[in-house]
Amino acid sequence: MAINGLHHVLLTVQDLERSSAFYTGLLGLTKVKEIADDGVSGAKTICALPDGRLLGLVQHQNSRGEPFDELRTGLDHLAFTVPAAELASWSQRLADAGVEHSPPAPSAFGDPLIVFRDPDRIQLQIYGTGPGSARTGTGSAQRDD
């Protein structure tokens, strides 16, 4: 008996509409479902990556509104993968949208990556994989900053 995959990741956000626009517009994820706030678990937007994995966004009514901090226990960062040859285009896309980001640079494993933050300051990374990367996997399991 073993875990055989990752079903979804759910990120708490301060403004669901703003974050939904960021993840579907800028990052190109597909919105697959909106779930109204039931008074307990918050309003949600569920997005799909091209491989079918799900990324959910939730806005809790009782949020303290504190900014994200990867130094607290919990999520450190979320890393997406793209073909390594597309990293320069992603860098330009982020620049055109006014999103501050690192230039494409080698990670600790040698794979090229870009580091940036979403509207709630959650650290995101775009890893280049395949030809032009150090590995042909789907990203690293370790922290690279």
Side-chain angles (χ1 to χ4, degrees):
M1 182 165 64
I3 299 221
N4 66 0
L6 178 67
H7 186 269
H8 71 274
V9 173
L10 191 65
L11 302 176
T12 298
V13 299
Q14 294 180 23
D15 182 327
L16 187 58
E17 187 174 320
R18 175 185 70 181
S19 293
S20 293
F22 180 88
Y23 283 90
T24 61
L26 180 63
L27 299 186
L29 304 186
T30 302
K31 186 184 299 184
V32 295
K33 188 169 190 167
E34 291 181 324
I35 303 169
D37 188 345
D38 62 4
V40 177
S41 61
K44 297 176 184 75
T45 297
I46 309 300
C47 301
L49 282 75
D51 67 4
R53 289 191 177 100
L54 301 175
L55 173 67
L57 307 169
V58 60
Q59 181 178 344
H60 296 284
Q61 286 183 12
N62 296 327
S63 171
R64 292 181 290 222
E66 297 172 347
F68 173 79
D69 183 349
E70 61 266 14
L71 299 178
R72 292 188 190 129
T73 301
L75 179 73
D76 185 280
H77 65 271
L78 185 60
F80 299 101
T81 58
V82 301
E86 293 182 8
L87 275 182
S89 296
W90 274 99
S91 183
Q92 187 61 53
R93 184 175 185 162
L94 293 168
D96 290 348
V99 175
E100 187 176 328
H101 63 284
S102 71
S107 70
F109 286 96
D111 297 314
L113 83 151
I114 297 171
V115 179
F116 60 107
R117 293 186 181 269
D118 81 352
D120 290 296
R121 302 220 16 91
I122 296 171
Q123 185 185 144
L124 303 174
Q125 300 176 354
I126 298 178
Y127 263 78
T129 60
S133 70
R135 299 177 313 135
T136 58
T138 58
S140 113
Q142 286 188 293
R143 184 181 178 125
D144 291 306
D145 47 320

